[in-house]
């Protein structure tokens, strides 16, 4: 297992997980990486660790540079298990007495997660500096980006920002840098990561970007080393700019029609609705939940101004795949959406009403009541869906989706 040199004294020593396909219920179609970094200064410093099953991979990469026992200190920027569950195993090798620098909430979280582990935690917070010898780390707490414990570490001498989850993506590749991977690949994966992981935290992310910009820190950053995916050394300005745009969740003239179907009638309704939206000059993504994972729907939904959700009724309930999607999307707390509900049924027909109620609770704007149809409609009986499309289209802005990563 080879390390990758980031700069003369800084190495990537993380792990590649080509096989992972589920992360927080998010389908990681391209696998993931758990990034950790080794700084070879007077005090040899390890920044973050990896998921527990990959501890030996991390240690083997470190051993290509230096005996792991010579690591003097560890920084834990984020306590979530994908970056910390290898920590106890790593400390067993490098020495449990070595200091682990973390935020106040980080200490609490790490202790709660690794209850039998008495490590030498040292609490640091915003404004604190840790000397590594020739270089140093300045800490900035970034609560809720992604967890309450999260923090950034910035090395002013080298201009490296260790940003934990921020600016990350789930992408397993032997290529470690942004300029080695096509823009549409990193752009889509970064957007998917924001859409599925960071959306509930757009307010703290916005404040953080403002702080980083107004404090002058942004202009000093030459490299961003996140805890997942590619290291940013070429497209820093672009990824920070994209984050600034994405967190605004500005609606565009795009609609996602997402549905499941038992006997193809709700499918017929979804196709009719998609067609009607197209005639209103709305960019439409028609997504069957038999063919699309919830996390791919969420990614499409991110820059859409509207979502139309269709479900048959089964045993007085919403179809399970559609209920799953609603639960997932509710947690992501998307803003600025127009919505509609529809579905066919045989006997009782509760699902569209339940969907309408769920979307209302999410504070989506619903310009028309739900539309449901008993048994199988002929074309002329679908006129209410055309009216739904018109009402939704009228509530959308004229602005089209920027032509970048979502297609
Ligand atoms: Fe990659 Fe919030 O952990």
């Amino acid at each position: 297992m080879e390390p990758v040199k980031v700069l003369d004294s800084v190495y990537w020593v993380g792990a590649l997980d080509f096989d992972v396909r589920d992360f927080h219920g998010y389908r990681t179609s391209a696998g993931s990486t758990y990034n950790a970094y080794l700084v070879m200064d007077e005090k040899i410093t390890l920044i973050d660790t990896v998921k527990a099953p990959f501890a030996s991979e991390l240690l083997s990469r470190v051993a290509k540079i230096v005996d792991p026992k010579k690591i003097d200190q560890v920084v834990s920027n984020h306590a979530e298990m994908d970056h910390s569950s290898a920590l106890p195993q790593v400390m067993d090798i490098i020495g449990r007495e070595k200091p682990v620098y973390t935020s106040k909430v980080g200490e609490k979280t790490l202790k709660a997660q690794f209850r039998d582990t008495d490590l030498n935690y040292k609490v640091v917070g915003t404004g604190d500096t840790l000397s590594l010898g020739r270089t140093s780390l300045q800490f900035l707490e970034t609560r809720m980006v992604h967890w309450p414990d999260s923090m950034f570490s910035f090395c002013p001498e080298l201009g490296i920002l260790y940003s934990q989850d921020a600016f990350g993506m789930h992408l397993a590749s032997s290529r470690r840098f942004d300029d080695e991977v096509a823009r549409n690949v990193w752009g889509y994966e970064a957007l998917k990561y924001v859409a599925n992981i960071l959306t509930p935290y757009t307010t703290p992310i916005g404040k953080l970007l403002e702080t980083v910009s107004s404090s002058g820190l942004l202009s000093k950053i030459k490299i961003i080393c996140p805890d997942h995916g590619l290291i940013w050394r070429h497209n820093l300005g672009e990824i920070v700019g994209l984050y600034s745009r994405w967190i605004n969740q500005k609606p565009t003239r795009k609609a996602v029609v997402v549905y499941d179907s038992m006997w193809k009638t709700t499918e017929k309704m979804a196709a009719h609705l998609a067609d009607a939206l197209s005639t209103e000059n709305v960019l439409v993504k028609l997504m069957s939940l038999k063919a699309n994972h919830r996390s791919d729907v969420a990614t499409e939904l991110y820059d859409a101004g509207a979502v139309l959700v269709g479900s048959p009724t089964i045993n007085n309930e919403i179809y399970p795949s559609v209920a799953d999607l609603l639960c997932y999307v509710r947690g992501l707390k998307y803003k600025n959406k127009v919505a509609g509900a529809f579905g066919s049924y045989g006997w009782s027909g509760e699902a569209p009403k339940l969907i309408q109620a769920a979307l209302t609770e999410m504070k989506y704007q619903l310009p028309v009541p739900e539309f449901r149809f008993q048994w199988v409609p002929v074309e002329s009986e679908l006129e209410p869906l055309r009216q739904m499309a018109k009402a939704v289209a009228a509530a959308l802005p004229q602005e089209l989706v920027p032509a970048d990563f979502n297609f």
Side-chain angles (χ1 to χ4, degrees):
M1 298 288 180
E2 294 294 326
V4 176
K5 189 180 276 192
V6 179
L7 286 176
D8 277 348
S9 57
V10 180
Y11 296 83
W12 174 86
V13 291
L16 295 172
D17 189 350
F18 283 98
D19 295 331
V20 65
R21 288 294 178 273
D22 178 79
F23 192 97
H24 294 183
Y26 162 168
R27 179 178 286 168
T28 46
S29 309
S32 193
T33 51
Y34 315 112
N35 294 339
Y37 302 94
L38 188 72
V39 185
M40 292 299 294
D41 204 327
E42 289 161 24
K43 291 230 179 225
I44 299 174
T45 305
L46 178 66
I47 301 178
D48 285 321
T49 66
V50 294
K51 227 178 184 176
F54 297 90
S56 60
E57 186 171 331
L58 179 150
L59 290 165
S60 117
R61 291 187 203 279
V62 170
K64 292 283 171 68
I65 306 160
V66 67
D67 180 347
K69 290 188 175 61
K70 292 192 172 163
I71 293 175
D72 294 295
Q73 54 194 12
V74 176
V75 172
S76 173
N77 278 326
H78 184 17
E80 192 167 5
M81 292 279 194
D82 47 334
H83 312 297
S84 70
S85 54
L87 183 65
Q89 293 176 69
V90 169
M91 298 311 290
D92 282 347
I93 300 296
I94 72 176
R96 295 166 74 92
E97 74 288 358
K98 306 276 178 72
V100 177
Y101 292 91
T102 187
S103 67
K104 190 173 176 183
V105 185
E107 180 192 33
K108 202 170 156 187
T109 309
L110 292 167
K111 280 183 173 172
Q113 290 180 157
F114 311 121
R115 299 176 67 109
D116 59 346
T117 307
D118 185 21
L119 297 179
N120 181 18
Y121 295 111
K122 302 279 186 196
V123 169
V124 290
T126 296
D128 288 344
T129 297
L130 177 67
S131 173
L132 312 188
R134 297 179 298 280
T135 64
S136 62
L137 291 174
Q138 297 172 349
F139 300 108
L140 172 65
E141 287 173 84
T142 60
R143 286 178 73 86
M144 303 320 296
V145 185
H146 165 221
W147 272 14
D149 69 287
S150 296
M151 66 178 191
F152 284 178
S153 300
F154 176 63
C155 174
E157 295 82 5
L158 301 176
I160 299 182
L161 177 71
Y162 299 96
S163 64
Q164 42 93 25
D165 279 344
F167 309 114
M169 69 187 77
H170 287 308
L171 175 69
S173 167
S174 55
R175 293 177 171 163
R176 294 265 49 78
F177 297 97
D178 61 329
D179 49 308
E180 298 172 334
V181 172
R183 182 181 181 273
N184 64 330
V185 173
W186 64 247
Y188 181 77
E189 294 298 343
L191 171 63
K192 186 174 181 183
Y193 189 87
V194 169
N196 285 275
I197 301 272
L198 298 179
T199 305
Y201 317 112
T202 50
T203 301
I205 293 171
K207 285 184 184 155
L208 176 63
L209 289 177
E210 176 58 34
T211 302
V212 166
S213 178
S214 62
S215 66
L217 176 59
L218 193 55
S219 60
K220 296 175 189 162
I221 301 171
K222 297 191 178 83
I223 298 176
I224 298 176
C225 290
D227 272 0
H228 295 288
L230 302 170
I231 295 166
W232 302 96
R233 66 180 179 187
H234 187 76
N235 299 294
L236 277 75
E238 187 167 10
I239 191 63
V240 173
L242 285 167
Y243 260 59
S244 301
R245 195 185 94 203
W246 289 338
I247 61 165
N248 284 331
Q249 300 191 50
K250 200 169 167 193
T252 62
R253 202 166 179 79
K254 172 183 172 184
V256 175
V257 180
V258 59
Y259 68 96
D260 210 332
S261 197
M262 283 167 73
W263 299 109
K264 296 193 174 287
T265 308
T266 302
E267 180 177 302
K268 180 179 180 177
M269 295 169 85
H272 190 87
L273 190 48
D275 190 52
L277 284 160
S278 291
T279 63
E280 299 294 328
N281 194 31
V282 175
L283 175 67
V284 182
K285 194 83 182 181
L286 180 61
M287 304 185 87
S288 160
L289 286 168
K290 293 196 197 312
N292 294 280
H293 192 265
R294 67 174 89 83
S295 53
D296 294 317
V297 176
T299 309
E300 287 295 339
L301 191 50
Y302 199 77
D303 60 4
V307 58
L308 294 304
V309 183
S311 172
T313 298
I314 180 164
N315 299 329
N316 311 106
E317 285 290 346
I318 301 170
Y319 204 71
S321 57
V322 180
D324 171 282
L325 178 81
L326 289 169
C327 175
Y328 189 71
V329 167
R330 182 170 59 237
L332 289 170
K333 298 182 176 61
Y334 287 145
K335 295 174 186 158
N336 307 324
K337 303 290 182 213
V338 182
F342 64 96
S344 74
Y345 67 101
W347 320 319
S348 55
E350 288 90 343
K353 271 190 186 303
L354 292 168
I355 294 170
Q356 185 92 358
L359 295 169
T360 304
E361 194 189 323
M362 289 183 219
K363 299 190 170 37
Y364 291 8
Q365 181 192 342
L366 290 127
V368 293
E370 71 281 358
F371 174 64
R372 61 181 192 158
F373 195 90
Q374 191 169 20
W375 303 117
V376 182
V378 295
E379 184 86 6
S380 60
E381 291 168 317
L382 292 177
E383 180 56 25
L385 286 178
R386 194 157 292 281
Q387 296 309 317
M388 182 184 286
K390 277 186 187 299
V392 165
L396 286 175
Q398 291 303 315
E399 190 182 339
L400 299 175
V401 180
D404 50 16
F405 311 114
N406 235 354
F407 28 78

